[in-house]
Tab-separated table of all heavy atoms in Angstrom:
chain	number	residue	atom	x	y	z
A	25	SER	N	0.820	-1.212	0.000
A	25	SER	CA	0.000	0.000	0.000
A	25	SER	C	0.853	1.260	0.000
A	25	SER	O	0.518	2.263	-0.641
A	25	SER	CB	-0.937	0.000	1.217
A	25	SER	OG	-1.824	-1.096	1.163
A	26	SER	N	1.980	1.215	0.720
A	26	SER	CA	2.874	2.377	0.750
A	26	SER	C	3.506	2.621	-0.615
A	26	SER	O	3.721	3.763	-1.012
A	26	SER	CB	3.965	2.169	1.804
A	26	SER	OG	3.394	2.147	3.094
A	27	LEU	N	3.804	1.543	-1.341
A	27	LEU	CA	4.316	1.716	-2.697
A	27	LEU	C	3.257	2.357	-3.586
A	27	LEU	O	3.565	3.268	-4.373
A	27	LEU	CB	4.750	0.371	-3.286
A	27	LEU	CG	5.211	0.445	-4.748
A	27	LEU	CD1	6.481	1.287	-4.888
A	27	LEU	CD2	5.440	-0.953	-5.318
A	28	CYS	N	2.014	1.889	-3.464
A	28	CYS	CA	0.935	2.511	-4.242
A	28	CYS	C	0.851	4.003	-3.944
A	28	CYS	O	0.723	4.832	-4.855
A	28	CYS	CB	-0.399	1.838	-3.915
A	28	CYS	SG	-0.561	0.138	-4.493
A	29	LEU	N	0.928	4.349	-2.661
A	29	LEU	CA	0.898	5.755	-2.252
A	29	LEU	C	2.037	6.526	-2.914
A	29	LEU	O	1.839	7.601	-3.490
A	29	LEU	CB	0.996	5.843	-0.726
A	29	LEU	CG	0.770	7.185	-0.028
A	29	LEU	CD1	0.513	6.966	1.451
A	29	LEU	CD2	1.929	8.156	-0.199
A	30	GLY	N	3.233	5.960	-2.847
A	30	GLY	CA	4.392	6.637	-3.412
A	30	GLY	C	4.291	6.831	-4.915
A	30	GLY	O	4.639	7.901	-5.442
A	31	LEU	N	3.798	5.834	-5.616
A	31	LEU	CA	3.682	5.946	-7.070
A	31	LEU	C	2.576	6.919	-7.470
A	31	LEU	O	2.704	7.635	-8.475
A	31	LEU	CB	3.434	4.562	-7.676
A	31	LEU	CG	4.614	3.584	-7.553
A	31	LEU	CD1	4.235	2.207	-8.076
A	31	LEU	CD2	5.844	4.113	-8.287
A	32	LEU	N	1.512	6.979	-6.683
A	32	LEU	CA	0.473	7.979	-6.940
A	32	LEU	C	1.037	9.382	-6.771
A	32	LEU	O	0.777	10.277	-7.591
A	32	LEU	CB	-0.702	7.762	-5.982
A	32	LEU	CG	-1.615	6.567	-6.274
A	32	LEU	CD1	-2.524	6.280	-5.079
A	32	LEU	CD2	-2.448	6.809	-7.537
A	33	ALA	N	1.830	9.572	-5.721
A	33	ALA	CA	2.454	10.878	-5.503
A	33	ALA	C	3.403	11.224	-6.644
A	33	ALA	O	3.449	12.370	-7.109
A	33	ALA	CB	3.202	10.880	-4.166
A	34	TRP	N	4.163	10.251	-7.090
A	34	TRP	CA	5.110	10.474	-8.193
A	34	TRP	C	4.364	10.909	-9.449
A	34	TRP	O	4.792	11.840	-10.136
A	34	TRP	CB	5.905	9.202	-8.454
A	34	TRP	CG	6.985	9.367	-9.488
A	34	TRP	CD1	8.267	9.789	-9.273
A	34	TRP	CD2	6.869	9.126	-10.900
A	34	TRP	NE1	8.965	9.819	-10.473
A	34	TRP	CE2	8.135	9.414	-11.482
A	34	TRP	CE3	5.835	8.677	-11.721
A	34	TRP	CZ2	8.381	9.273	-12.841
A	34	TRP	CZ3	6.075	8.545	-13.090
A	34	TRP	CH2	7.341	8.845	-13.636
A	35	LEU	N	3.262	10.251	-9.749
A	35	LEU	CA	2.483	10.603	-10.943
A	35	LEU	C	1.879	11.998	-10.816
A	35	LEU	O	1.845	12.759	-11.794
A	35	LEU	CB	1.386	9.557	-11.178
A	35	LEU	CG	1.903	8.202	-11.684
A	35	LEU	CD1	0.822	7.137	-11.544
A	35	LEU	CD2	2.365	8.304	-13.137
A	36	LEU	N	1.414	12.342	-9.617
A	36	LEU	CA	0.901	13.707	-9.408
A	36	LEU	C	1.991	14.733	-9.680
A	36	LEU	O	1.755	15.749	-10.335
A	36	LEU	CB	0.384	13.858	-7.974
A	36	LEU	CG	-0.957	13.222	-7.618
A	36	LEU	CD1	-1.235	13.391	-6.131
A	36	LEU	CD2	-2.094	13.839	-8.443
A	37	LYS	N	3.190	14.460	-9.186
A	37	LYS	CA	4.286	15.409	-9.387
A	37	LYS	C	4.673	15.509	-10.851
A	37	LYS	O	5.157	16.558	-11.305
A	37	LYS	CB	5.497	15.004	-8.550
A	37	LYS	CG	6.593	16.073	-8.560
A	37	LYS	CD	7.735	15.757	-7.614
A	37	LYS	CE	8.769	16.876	-7.650
A	37	LYS	NZ	9.918	16.600	-6.759
A	38	GLN	N	4.457	14.436	-11.611
A	38	GLN	CA	4.751	14.465	-13.046
A	38	GLN	C	3.690	15.222	-13.848
A	38	GLN	O	3.828	15.406	-15.047
A	38	GLN	CB	4.876	13.039	-13.604
A	38	GLN	CG	5.920	12.176	-12.932
A	38	GLN	CD	7.281	12.827	-12.876
A	38	GLN	OE1	7.835	13.225	-13.901
A	38	GLN	NE2	7.814	12.948	-11.658
A	39	GLY	N	2.619	15.621	-13.156
A	39	GLY	CA	1.582	16.401	-13.827
A	39	GLY	C	0.346	15.625	-14.221
A	39	GLY	O	-0.543	16.170	-14.888
A	40	VAL	N	0.259	14.357	-13.828
A	40	VAL	CA	-0.955	13.590	-14.117
A	40	VAL	C	-2.061	14.099	-13.192
A	40	VAL	O	-1.898	14.105	-11.966
A	40	VAL	CB	-0.738	12.078	-13.895
A	40	VAL	CG1	-2.025	11.306	-14.177
A	40	VAL	CG2	0.393	11.564	-14.782
A	41	PRO	N	-3.188	14.538	-13.714
A	41	PRO	CA	-4.264	15.080	-12.865
A	41	PRO	C	-4.811	14.013	-11.917
A	41	PRO	O	-4.887	12.830	-12.261
A	41	PRO	CB	-5.338	15.505	-13.881
A	41	PRO	CG	-4.613	15.627	-15.181
A	41	PRO	CD	-3.521	14.602	-15.152
A	42	ALA	N	-5.203	14.432	-10.732
A	42	ALA	CA	-5.734	13.504	-9.738
A	42	ALA	C	-6.938	12.741	-10.263
A	42	ALA	O	-7.131	11.560	-9.937
A	42	ALA	CB	-6.100	14.263	-8.464
A	43	GLU	N	-7.742	13.406	-11.093
A	43	GLU	CA	-8.949	12.749	-11.606
A	43	GLU	C	-8.624	11.650	-12.624
A	43	GLU	O	-9.511	10.885	-13.018
A	43	GLU	CB	-9.902	13.763	-12.231
A	43	GLU	CG	-9.332	14.560	-13.391
A	43	GLU	CD	-8.697	15.870	-12.945
A	43	GLU	OE1	-8.319	15.978	-11.760
A	43	GLU	OE2	-8.595	16.779	-13.803
A	44	LYS	N	-7.368	11.549	-13.014
A	44	LYS	CA	-6.946	10.488	-13.930
A	44	LYS	C	-6.272	9.323	-13.200
A	44	LYS	O	-5.749	8.409	-13.826
A	44	LYS	CB	-5.979	11.048	-14.983
A	44	LYS	CG	-6.634	12.027	-15.951
A	44	LYS	CD	-7.713	11.342	-16.775
A	44	LYS	CE	-8.339	12.290	-17.782
A	44	LYS	NZ	-9.421	11.621	-18.580
A	45	LEU	N	-6.298	9.371	-11.860
A	45	LEU	CA	-5.671	8.329	-11.054
A	45	LEU	C	-6.715	7.620	-10.203
A	45	LEU	O	-7.734	8.198	-9.837
A	45	LEU	CB	-4.606	8.940	-10.137
A	45	LEU	CG	-3.460	9.690	-10.810
A	45	LEU	CD1	-2.584	10.365	-9.759
A	45	LEU	CD2	-2.627	8.751	-11.676
A	46	ALA	N	-6.447	6.348	-9.872
A	46	ALA	CA	-7.370	5.601	-9.016
A	46	ALA	C	-6.614	4.517	-8.268
A	46	ALA	O	-5.558	4.037	-8.710
A	46	ALA	CB	-8.498	4.989	-9.842
A	47	TYR	N	-7.181	4.138	-7.134
A	47	TYR	CA	-6.603	3.083	-6.276
A	47	TYR	C	-7.730	2.197	-5.782
A	47	TYR	O	-8.806	2.683	-5.406
A	47	TYR	CB	-5.890	3.718	-5.082
A	47	TYR	CG	-5.545	2.737	-3.980
A	47	TYR	CD1	-4.355	2.012	-4.004
A	47	TYR	CD2	-6.424	2.530	-2.918
A	47	TYR	CE1	-4.043	1.111	-2.992
A	47	TYR	CE2	-6.120	1.636	-1.900
A	47	TYR	CZ	-4.933	0.923	-1.943
A	47	TYR	OH	-4.631	0.026	-0.952
A	48	ILE	N	-7.486	0.881	-5.771
A	48	ILE	CA	-8.474	-0.043	-5.250
A	48	ILE	C	-7.776	-1.232	-4.594
A	48	ILE	O	-6.730	-1.681	-5.073
A	48	ILE	CB	-9.436	-0.537	-6.361
A	48	ILE	CG1	-10.547	-1.430	-5.775
A	48	ILE	CG2	-8.681	-1.275	-7.468
A	48	ILE	CD1	-11.654	-1.759	-6.766
A	49	LYS	N	-8.321	-1.680	-3.486
A	49	LYS	CA	-7.859	-2.920	-2.845
A	49	LYS	C	-9.049	-3.871	-2.860
A	49	LYS	O	-9.838	-3.927	-1.904
A	49	LYS	CB	-7.375	-2.661	-1.419
A	49	LYS	CG	-6.608	-3.843	-0.822
A	49	LYS	CD	-5.990	-3.467	0.517
A	49	LYS	CE	-5.209	-4.624	1.108
A	49	LYS	NZ	-3.965	-4.911	0.383
A	50	PRO	N	-9.222	-4.618	-3.940
A	50	PRO	CA	-10.456	-5.384	-4.151
A	50	PRO	C	-10.618	-6.588	-3.235
A	50	PRO	O	-11.731	-7.051	-3.007
A	50	PRO	CB	-10.347	-5.819	-5.608
A	50	PRO	CG	-8.878	-5.869	-5.873
A	50	PRO	CD	-8.299	-4.743	-5.075
A	51	MET	N	-9.499	-7.127	-2.732
A	51	MET	CA	-9.546	-8.200	-1.738
A	51	MET	C	-8.700	-7.753	-0.554
A	51	MET	O	-7.567	-7.297	-0.736
A	51	MET	CB	-8.986	-9.513	-2.309
A	51	MET	CG	-9.744	-10.039	-3.507
A	51	MET	SD	-9.144	-11.666	-4.061
A	51	MET	CE	-7.570	-11.209	-4.814
A	52	THR	N	-9.231	-7.872	0.643
A	52	THR	CA	-8.500	-7.361	1.795
A	52	THR	C	-8.756	-8.195	3.043
A	52	THR	O	-9.788	-8.852	3.165
A	52	THR	CB	-8.880	-5.893	2.072
A	52	THR	OG1	-8.071	-5.377	3.123
A	52	THR	CG2	-10.342	-5.778	2.466
A	53	GLN	N	-7.779	-8.167	3.938
A	53	GLN	CA	-7.924	-8.771	5.251
A	53	GLN	C	-8.021	-7.696	6.335
A	53	GLN	O	-8.383	-7.981	7.463
A	53	GLN	CB	-6.718	-9.675	5.546
A	53	GLN	CG	-6.595	-10.873	4.603
A	53	GLN	CD	-5.278	-11.589	4.745
A	53	GLN	OE1	-4.223	-10.962	4.760
A	53	GLN	NE2	-5.320	-12.914	4.839
A	54	CYS	N	-7.673	-6.468	5.969
A	54	CYS	CA	-7.631	-5.363	6.923
A	54	CYS	C	-8.641	-4.295	6.517
A	54	CYS	O	-8.660	-3.862	5.357
A	54	CYS	CB	-6.226	-4.757	6.968
A	54	CYS	SG	-6.079	-3.309	8.028
A	55	VAL	N	-9.478	-3.867	7.463
A	55	VAL	CA	-10.485	-2.858	7.140
A	55	VAL	C	-10.164	-1.507	7.783
A	55	VAL	O	-10.944	-0.566	7.673
A	55	VAL	CB	-11.893	-3.324	7.583
A	55	VAL	CG1	-12.313	-4.555	6.796
A	55	VAL	CG2	-11.936	-3.601	9.082
A	56	GLU	N	-9.017	-1.409	8.445
A	56	GLU	CA	-8.606	-0.135	9.019
A	56	GLU	C	-8.118	0.797	7.913
A	56	GLU	O	-7.497	0.368	6.940
A	56	GLU	CB	-7.486	-0.355	10.041
A	56	GLU	CG	-7.919	-1.167	11.255
A	56	GLU	CD	-6.773	-1.373	12.230
A	56	GLU	OE1	-5.661	-0.855	11.962
A	56	GLU	OE2	-6.983	-2.048	13.241
A	57	LYS	N	-8.367	2.083	8.082
A	57	LYS	CA	-7.972	3.063	7.071
A	57	LYS	C	-6.454	3.192	7.043
A	57	LYS	O	-5.817	3.435	8.065
A	57	LYS	CB	-8.624	4.417	7.358
A	57	LYS	CG	-8.416	5.445	6.268
A	57	LYS	CD	-9.229	6.708	6.509
A	57	LYS	CE	-10.697	6.470	6.229
A	57	LYS	NZ	-11.456	7.761	6.212
């Protein structure tokens, strides 16, 4: 999850608009935010 966070931040810094990015954890064992 931390890698996903980091890559999302990297893409934002490269100029990719937030509305063009998405994240999903379709199967999970943890429900804490």
Side-chain angles (χ1 to χ4, degrees):
S25 298
S26 294
L27 176 65
C28 291
L29 189 163
L31 293 175
L32 286 167
W34 185 87
L35 288 165
L36 285 176
K37 189 174 181 181
Q38 303 308 304
V40 179
E43 59 268 22
K44 293 297 182 181
L45 301 174
Y47 166 87
I48 185 170
K49 193 172 181 71
M51 299 185 287
T52 185
Q53 296 169 312
C54 176
V55 296
E56 296 179 2
K57 187 172 286 191

